[in-house]
Amino acid sequence: MKRLSWFLVMCLLLSGCSSITSKLGKSKTDDDGEKIAPAPLVDFQSEVNLKKLWSTNVVGKNLSVNGGIRPAVQSGVIYLADSEGNVAAVDTVTGEKKWKVELDTALGGAVGVGSNTVLIGGIEGDVFALEAETGEQRWHVYVTSEVLAAPAVSGDIAVVQSQDGRVVGLSLADGEKRWQFKEDVPVLSLRGTSPPMMNEDLCVVSFANGKVYAISPETGAQVWESRIAVPQGRTELERMVDIDGRPVQVGDVLYVASYQGRIGALAIASGRGIWFQDASTTHDLAYGLAQLYLVQKNDAVKALRSSSGQQIWINEQLTYRKLSSPTVVADNLVVGDAEGYLHVLSQTDGRFVGRVKVGSGIAAPILVDGDVLYVQDNSGKLTAYSFE
């Protein structure tokens, strides 16, 4: 299957802007030929202070593929990995390493955790299951294509989605395949997939053709289908409507967004559309104060009313800074950028209320556990912060 080169994918995600360096890179042009450049940092009156609690370097570089190799947190432990195959567990309170293992493969997907199991995929189609307590390998199997999203766990089933439009249910005990769900994907798509999302009795999976499905985690049988975005345009590039970000479920409503398409609210029981608005993002969505937050393809940060999709505010002061997915903590919204800054925005109106330099670029979403933030930068360093 023909795919975009990584260089072209990054150009698309940034609408023609090159990766930000310490010098912010050179100006580029957008689709209309206008010059664009990463927005410079603006001065503001700080309203919150971020206190560093600890920092550790237990893993190495985290390449920015589909938002980086995303860590996961559960029961006081952070599970993280790097691109070279190192996986580690770190105590959330002390930052001390609990265990570390080296897997003999290049990793590209996020870390999934559930039922005392750590799951992670590789760019060669590897899927590993590790004991959460010790890191001991339970099993190692292959699926049909690279795994760039976190596997999910439902009971005794691990659900893994690969780049080629296949979703498989694997036995959590031994990795044996229980079922497979297949969706046709476009000839051309972005390099990335949305992670399977579990609730009590459904597994929600999203695809590069702009469709969302709910399937049974036990059998893989389809429960419902819904289309978020309709491909438009004459070229394959213009018609890309990939859903790569993690949806958000709030009560009985599911919120999903696509690249070059729409953001929509769906009834989780039936997939029925409640509202839709034009949008373009490859990032996870976030929710707080009855609002949805998204980072658009040009890195503008936007807040929408969750009941209607109406825009509440937009912050365009971080455009083309190559932001991470937004994360809600307390009354704040946080995003990282490719220079390694962590930006704190007010959920109320999107104004800047805090900023701290973490390290190298931040591609992976920021984790939140209680009132503590955990940031893994692209060098692999993991840092914990609290608000003062």
Side-chain angles (χ1 to χ4, degrees):
M1 180 177 289
K2 190 168 62 175
R3 295 287 174 195
L4 290 178
S5 70
W6 177 232
F7 174 78
L8 181 55
V9 169
M10 291 308 297
C11 289
L12 284 167
L13 290 178
L14 297 177
S15 297
C17 179
S18 64
S19 297
I20 295 176
T21 67
S22 59
K23 296 180 180 179
L24 290 179
K26 298 179 180 180
S27 297
K28 298 294 180 180
T29 57
D30 62 16
D31 296 336
D32 298 320
E34 297 293 327
K35 286 187 176 181
I36 56 175
L41 296 179
V42 299
D43 294 330
F44 62 92
Q45 184 65 43
S46 181
E47 300 175 41
V48 299
N49 293 315
L50 287 162
K51 177 184 177 182
K52 182 190 290 187
L53 303 178
W54 52 258
S55 184
T56 184
N57 292 85
V58 294
V59 297
K61 290 184 178 180
N62 182 357
L63 298 182
S64 181
V65 177
N66 195 33
I69 301 179
R70 309 170 184 211
V73 60
Q74 188 175 85
S75 303
V77 180
I78 297 173
Y79 302 95
L80 66 161
D82 64 27
S83 303
E84 300 300 317
N86 297 298
V87 186
V90 173
D91 185 276
T92 58
V93 177
T94 65
E96 294 182 357
K97 179 181 69 179
K98 298 176 70 69
W99 54 257
K100 180 179 178 180
V101 297
E102 297 180 11
L103 305 177
D104 189 23
T105 191
L107 301 177
V111 180
V113 60
S115 298
N116 299 314
T117 307
V118 176
L119 295 155
I120 190 164
I123 62 175
E124 299 296 329
D126 306 77
V127 181
F128 294 89
L130 310 176
E131 297 289 342
E133 290 292 325
T134 64
E136 180 181 358
Q137 185 173 308
R138 184 183 299 170
W139 47 261
H140 170 209
V141 299
Y142 289 91
V143 293
T144 54
S145 181
E146 62 183 344
V147 179
L148 298 176
V153 176
S154 177
D156 62 350
I157 299 290
V159 180
V160 180
Q161 184 167 353
S162 53
Q163 178 73 12
D164 59 359
R166 288 179 169 85
V167 183
V168 295
L170 306 174
S171 167
L172 201 58
D174 57 14
E176 180 182 0
K177 186 166 76 172
R178 298 280 188 85
W179 52 261
Q180 177 176 283
F181 183 90
K182 175 70 170 65
E183 173 66 0
D184 292 332
V185 295
V187 172
L188 207 58
S189 68
L190 299 177
R191 190 181 179 202
T193 54
S194 175
M197 193 186 78
M198 296 291 186
N199 64 15
E200 292 182 359
D201 53 6
L202 290 177
C203 175
V204 176
V205 288
S206 308
F207 295 95
N209 59 7
K211 290 184 179 181
V212 181
Y213 290 86
I215 60 178
S216 165
E218 293 298 320
T219 66
Q222 179 179 323
V223 178
W224 54 255
E225 168 191 347
S226 185
R227 178 173 285 280
I228 296 298
V230 178
Q232 298 182 18
R234 295 183 178 182
T235 69
E236 294 292 340
L237 295 178
E238 293 173 332
R239 293 176 62 80
M240 290 194 299
V241 289
D242 301 53
I243 302 174
D244 283 355
R246 187 188 302 269
V248 168
Q249 183 179 346
V250 182
D252 57 0
V253 179
L254 180 73
Y255 301 96
V256 190
S258 77
Y259 177 70
Q260 297 186 146
R262 298 189 298 180
I263 181 172
L266 308 176
I268 189 65
S270 64
R272 176 183 59 84
I274 300 171
W275 59 257
F276 295 96
Q277 296 286 352
D278 290 342
S280 182
T281 183
T282 60
H283 291 72
D284 299 350
L285 300 176
Y287 175 87
L289 300 183
Q291 298 175 174
L292 288 174
Y293 306 101
L294 68 152
V295 171
Q296 300 187 124
K297 72 174 184 178
N298 67 346
D299 290 320
V301 184
K302 182 184 289 189
L304 305 177
R305 197 175 308 281
S306 62
S307 60
S308 64
Q310 176 189 6
Q311 180 176 309
I312 299 173
W313 56 256
I314 185 169
N315 184 321
E316 298 179 297
Q317 295 177 302
L318 294 171
T319 53
Y320 303 107
R321 293 190 66 86
K322 224 177 144 186
L323 300 184
S324 69
S325 294
T327 300
V328 168
V329 55
D331 293 328
N332 304 305
L333 185 72
V334 294
V335 291
D337 73 18
E339 278 198 309
Y341 286 99
L342 187 66
H343 304 275
V344 186
L345 283 65
S346 166
Q347 288 190 66
T348 304
D349 57 13
R351 73 184 186 279
F352 293 114
V353 295
R355 180 192 297 149
V356 66
K357 183 72 158 64
V358 174
S360 67
I362 302 168
I366 293 92
L367 296 180
V368 177
D369 191 21
D371 293 328
V372 180
L373 301 174
Y374 302 95
V375 186
Q376 184 182 7
D377 68 22
N378 294 346
S379 74
K381 182 178 71 173
L382 180 69
T383 308
Y385 291 95
S386 65
F387 288 104
E388 290 185 317

